[in-house]
């Protein structure tokens, strides 16, 4: 009875969401028709309708007959159902021997790896690739495997093979892929290195006020590993196989979730390691970026006294503490008015201008802020930032106040003003919203700014963002976080082309009552299939991360609460134990 009550509540929730969602889609279509625009989903749908009409598909194939000789599809394991429906008429025609003038038989080349299917959130269905493999199984020459790894040194290749052929990873690989995880190696220019550290536990010896969590200890250990690699003169090879010293840009730090990456970024900065932050979200967390955003907020809204106070005390102005306190006192915070009531304090900007009339220290500050205010609204964000950086000497000031990382972050913020989503709406207010939104999300895109100098910067990226990349040194950090079954969306028939979706299904509804002697219903079976598919994709994600390494691979993580501290004594002792 309780189960049926839960399902009725879930049905009502989905019925209401469907009604609202369909109306929202109608409104979206009306807006797109009004503005005469289409999005990527529209392009995909139109192509599907075109190829789904047999007469139109045959007509298109006939028109393209003389121009197509070869069809090459890379990363085929990430194909979704819509893309398959668009491509399969071409594939079927080519495999049947059509699509050409008869002189040269057209060919199809599909490239993929089921173990690297990690884009289910985009609709990728690895079963499409598996079905194609089965379709070609009758022809022994049609399906080829590449058993040799040309990227990594033997230690990395053998280490990955050893880990994924053992439990618990072996049983979580896609069906039939266990035998393919152990590859041959083509490189013989060194042995390579693989280090898997035991999870760092909380520091129980320290008191609660300055104790270090396992995540913090892992973060400082990661920074120490990289620092010692560079300081020890470790080498890698260039494109021609010649040895050269490792530099910062040879290091790639990968993580599954952005939740705890800030701890690792902080640890690397404290170790003096130049880094390329993970994305806008991590960029927005920097003090120098927050100061510039405060300045921009005040420029578009002069009544924002908190923003102005932040600017005055920041390296943008560097107003001394004593002068700042005198300025606040001049606002008349406790002035008595009529009837003995306290009068409202004066506006900070008005007070600053009034005090500057007799204070030579404040006069250049007021002149600079007035000049920037006069430019706001009449120029794009990029040009405004360029003027602020130049006239305020911001990169040099923040570099003097902190480190070269601050200059790099300001340069990234400057480049971000030219990003498509910012350049299309050149208002200062819109730019502030974009950066603030990324900060609340914790970082949405990957760091794409260029390296600095000959040694570059350590790159921080999600595993998804690093797909297709490689690096001499890879650190898979934050590797001990437990998986959480938080997916509240259930596909009722996970492998079907089109299936019902159930939204808002809490874990109790997906799993059912513990110890209840009842058969699982369709929703529970579908949720169990989704969990199994998620476990396979999580294993694939780990495989993708580890195979990015060319020479050295380090896997580490920790447990506990994320507390911040400046002391890295424990990281040093942990590395001594490692050695």
């Amino acid at each position: 009875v309780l189960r049926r009550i839960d399902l009725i509540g879930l049905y009502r929730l989905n019925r209401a969401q469907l009604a609202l969602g369909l109306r929202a889609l109608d409104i979206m279509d009306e807006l797109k028709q009004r503005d005469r625009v289409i999005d990527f989903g529209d392009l995909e749908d139109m192509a599907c309708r075109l190829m789904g009409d047999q007469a139109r598909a045959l007509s298109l194939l006939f028109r393209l007959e003389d121009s197509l000789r070869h069809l090459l599809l890379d990363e085929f394991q990430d194909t979704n159902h819509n893309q398959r429906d668009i491509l399969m008429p071409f594939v079927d025609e080519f495999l049947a021997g059509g699509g050409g003038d008869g002189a040269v038989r057209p060919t199809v080349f599909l490239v993929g790896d089921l173990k690297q299917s990690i884009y289910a959130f985009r609709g990728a269905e690895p079963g499409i690739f598996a079905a194609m493999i089965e379709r070609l199984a009758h022809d022994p020459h049609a399906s080829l495997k590449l058993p040799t790894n040309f990227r990594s040194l033997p230690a990395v290749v053998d280490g990955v093979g050893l880990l994924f052929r053992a439990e618990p990873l072996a049983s979580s690989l896609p069906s039939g892929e266990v035998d393919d995880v152990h590859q041959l190696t083509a490189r013989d220019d060194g042995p390579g290195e693989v280090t898997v550290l035991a999870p760092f536990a909380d520091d129980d010896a320290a008191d609660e006020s300055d104790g270090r969590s396992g995540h913090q200890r892992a973060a400082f250990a990661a920074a120490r590993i990289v620092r010692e690699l560079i300081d020890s003169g470790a080498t890698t090879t260039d494109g021609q196989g010649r040895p050269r010293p490792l530099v910062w840009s040879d290091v790639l730090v990968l993580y599954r979730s952005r939740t705890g990456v800030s701890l690792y970024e902080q640890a690397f900065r404290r170790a003096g390691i130049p880094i390329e932050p993970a994305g806008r979200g991590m960029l927005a967390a920097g003090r120098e970026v927050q100061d510039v955003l405060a300045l921009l907020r005040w420029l578009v809204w002069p009544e924002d006294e908190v923003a102005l106070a932040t600017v005055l005390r920041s390296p943008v102005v560097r107003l001394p503490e004593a002068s700042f306190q005198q300025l606040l006192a001049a606002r008349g915070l406790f002035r008595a008015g009529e009837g003995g009531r306290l009068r409202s304090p004066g506006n900070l900007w008005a007070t600053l201008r009034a005090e500057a009339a007799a204070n030579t220290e404040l006069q250049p500050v007021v002149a600079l802020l007035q000049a920037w205010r006069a430019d706001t609204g009449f120029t794009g964000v990029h040009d405004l930032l360029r003027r602020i950086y130049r006239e305020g000497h911001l990169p040099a000031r923040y570099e003097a106040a902190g480190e070269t990382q601050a200059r790099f972050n300001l340069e990234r913020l400057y480049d971000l003003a030219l990003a498509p989503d910012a350049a299309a709406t050149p208002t200062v207010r819109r730019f502030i919203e974009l950066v603030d939104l990324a900060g609340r999300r914790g970082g949405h895109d990957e760091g794409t700014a260029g390296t600095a100098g000959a040694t570059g910067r350590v790159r921080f990226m999600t595993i998804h963002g690093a797909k297709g990349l490689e690096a001499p040194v890879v650190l898979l950090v934050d590797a001990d976080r437990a998986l959480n079954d938080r997916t509240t969306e259930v596909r009722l028939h996970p492998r079907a082309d089109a299936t019902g979706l159930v939204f808002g299904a809490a874990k109790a509804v997906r799993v059912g009552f513990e110890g209840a002697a009842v058969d699982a219903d369709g929703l529970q079976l579908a949720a169990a299939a989704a969990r199994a598919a998620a476990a396979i994709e999580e294993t694939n994600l780990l495989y993708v991360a580890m195979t990015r390494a060319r020479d050295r691979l380090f896997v580490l993580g920790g447990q506990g609460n994320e507390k911040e501290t400046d002391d890295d004594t424990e990281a040093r002792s942990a590395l001594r134990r490692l050695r």
Side-chain angles (χ1 to χ4, degrees):
V1 171
L2 292 176
R3 177 67 180 171
R4 295 178 74 87
I5 292 174
D6 284 343
L7 292 178
I8 291 172
L10 186 62
Y11 163 74
R12 290 173 174 169
L13 171 65
N14 277 265
R15 184 177 61 181
Q17 288 184 326
L18 179 62
L20 293 174
L22 290 175
R23 181 58 187 139
L25 290 175
D26 290 340
I27 294 173
M28 178 67 73
D29 288 338
E30 292 170 3
L31 293 174
K32 288 190 290 188
Q33 290 178 11
R34 182 199 67 183
D35 297 336
R36 297 183 179 183
V37 297
I38 57 176
D39 56 25
F40 186 82
D42 296 328
L43 288 173
E44 204 172 62
D45 289 340
M46 287 188 291
C48 278
R49 290 197 296 270
L50 174 64
M51 301 308 294
D53 186 314
Q54 186 175 9
R56 290 183 177 180
L58 290 175
S59 174
L60 180 61
L61 289 171
F62 178 78
R63 293 165 60 185
L64 296 175
E65 190 174 39
D66 296 330
S67 60
L68 294 182
R69 291 292 183 272
H70 183 62
L71 183 62
L72 170 61
L73 301 174
D74 197 9
E75 304 289 356
F76 195 65
Q77 77 279 350
D78 294 326
T79 304
N80 63 34
H81 289 291
N82 282 348
Q83 295 164 351
R84 181 206 57 186
D85 293 342
I86 296 170
L87 295 168
M88 288 314 295
F90 293 95
V91 174
D92 293 339
E93 181 73 10
F94 277 34
L95 292 179
D101 55 9
V104 178
R105 181 179 178 179
T107 53
V108 178
F109 190 21
L110 309 177
V111 184
D113 184 357
L114 289 174
K115 301 185 298 301
Q116 298 193 47
S117 179
I118 59 174
Y119 291 107
F121 65 93
R122 294 179 182 172
E125 178 49 69
I128 295 174
F129 190 22
M132 182 59 67
I133 294 175
E134 291 182 6
R135 176 178 174 180
L136 301 176
H138 67 279
D139 186 347
H141 302 292
S143 181
L144 304 176
K145 293 184 178 181
L146 182 64
T148 304
N149 185 310
F150 294 90
R151 169 184 295 162
S152 306
L153 288 175
V156 177
V157 177
D158 294 341
V160 171
L162 179 66
L163 286 171
F164 283 86
R165 293 184 72 176
E167 295 297 342
L169 297 179
S171 59
S172 296
L173 283 170
S175 177
E177 292 295 309
V178 176
D179 295 334
D180 296 332
V181 295
H182 193 279
Q183 298 177 301
L184 304 175
T185 56
R187 291 181 59 189
D188 58 359
D189 50 294
E193 178 183 1
V194 175
T195 301
V196 181
L197 294 102
F200 286 81
D202 290 350
D203 182 9
D204 296 329
D207 60 50
E208 188 174 340
S209 61
D210 61 25
R212 186 187 300 278
S213 72
H215 293 305
Q216 289 174 308
R217 297 175 64 197
F220 282 102
R224 203 68 179 168
I225 289 171
V226 175
R227 167 60 73 180
E228 291 194 359
L229 278 175
I230 300 298
D231 292 347
S232 66
T235 61
T236 184
T237 55
D238 59 16
Q240 287 73 41
R242 296 171 298 194
R244 64 167 178 81
L246 275 176
V247 295
W248 300 122
S249 58
D250 291 326
V251 180
L252 180 61
V253 178
L254 299 180
Y255 49 92
R256 295 184 306 175
S257 169
R258 296 181 177 90
T259 303
V261 70
S262 60
L263 288 175
Y264 288 88
E265 289 197 348
Q266 292 166 9
F268 275 64
R269 292 187 185 190
R270 290 167 184 164
I273 300 174
I275 67 172
E276 188 170 325
R280 296 182 192 175
M282 295 296 104
L283 180 68
R287 171 197 169 189
E288 57 283 343
V289 174
Q290 286 295 316
D291 288 346
V292 173
L293 291 179
L295 174 59
L296 295 178
R297 287 191 189 93
W298 178 79
L299 290 175
V300 297
W301 182 246
E303 301 301 318
D304 190 340
E305 299 191 347
V306 174
L308 179 57
T310 300
V311 172
L312 293 177
R313 287 292 294 135
S314 73
V316 176
V317 174
R318 291 190 295 192
L319 191 65
E321 176 67 21
S323 301
F324 182 67
Q325 293 298 333
Q326 292 175 1
L327 182 64
L328 294 179
R331 298 172 62 213
L333 184 60
F334 298 107
R335 291 181 301 175
E338 296 180 1
R341 295 181 178 180
L342 294 178
R343 297 173 57 184
S344 299
N347 177 267
L348 184 58
W349 172 234
T351 304
L352 177 62
R353 287 181 295 170
E355 291 294 310
N359 189 335
T360 56
E361 180 186 31
L362 300 178
Q363 290 173 0
V365 174
V366 171
L368 200 59
L369 293 178
Q370 284 179 327
W372 293 342
R373 276 201 62 199
D375 211 13
T376 303
F378 295 94
T379 186
V381 182
H382 188 266
D383 292 334
L384 178 61
L385 285 177
R386 179 170 55 187
R387 179 177 181 181
I388 291 173
Y389 283 13
R390 183 182 67 250
E391 296 178 354
H393 308 287
L394 262 62
R397 287 191 175 195
Y398 276 97
E399 186 172 12
E403 53 188 20
T404 57
Q405 185 65 44
R407 173 188 283 271
F408 176 72
N409 288 346
L410 288 176
E411 291 172 354
R412 284 198 63 210
L413 184 68
Y414 179 70
D415 292 336
L416 186 60
L418 284 179
D421 49 356
T425 53
T427 65
V428 176
R429 190 183 299 276
R430 175 60 178 160
F431 180 72
I432 297 171
E433 291 175 353
L434 286 172
V435 181
D436 280 344
L437 177 61
R440 291 193 297 272
R441 289 176 175 174
H444 184 64
D445 60 349
E446 301 302 332
T448 55
T451 57
T455 59
R457 296 176 180 274
V458 174
R459 292 173 292 169
F460 278 70
M461 302 185 75
T462 63
I463 301 174
H464 286 99
K467 180 74 179 295
L469 302 181
E470 62 179 49
V473 179
V474 169
L475 279 77
L476 177 57
V477 302
D478 207 17
D480 192 50
R481 285 191 182 272
L483 300 181
N484 294 313
D485 181 21
R486 297 178 179 173
T487 303
T488 60
E489 175 185 316
V490 179
R491 299 177 62 189
L492 294 182
H493 302 284
R495 298 301 180 187
D497 292 21
T499 179
L501 289 174
V502 177
F503 294 91
K507 185 175 182 179
V509 179
R510 300 194 307 273
V511 177
F513 299 98
E514 293 186 6
V518 293
D519 294 333
D521 55 36
L523 179 62
Q524 290 171 309
L525 294 175
R531 287 194 296 272
I536 292 176
E537 179 155 325
E538 189 68 26
T539 303
N540 293 348
L541 199 65
L542 182 62
Y543 180 82
V544 168
M546 298 178 72
T547 53
R548 301 308 95 195
R550 290 179 49 207
D551 304 342
R552 296 175 174 86
L553 172 65
F554 298 88
V555 182
L556 68 161
Q559 307 167 345
N561 299 321
E562 290 84 354
K563 298 177 182 178
E564 297 184 8
T565 177
D566 295 324
D567 185 18
D568 62 346
T569 305
E570 278 303 321
R572 296 192 185 96
S573 63
L575 283 174
R576 282 196 293 271
R577 291 195 297 271
L578 169 64
R579 290 195 294 271

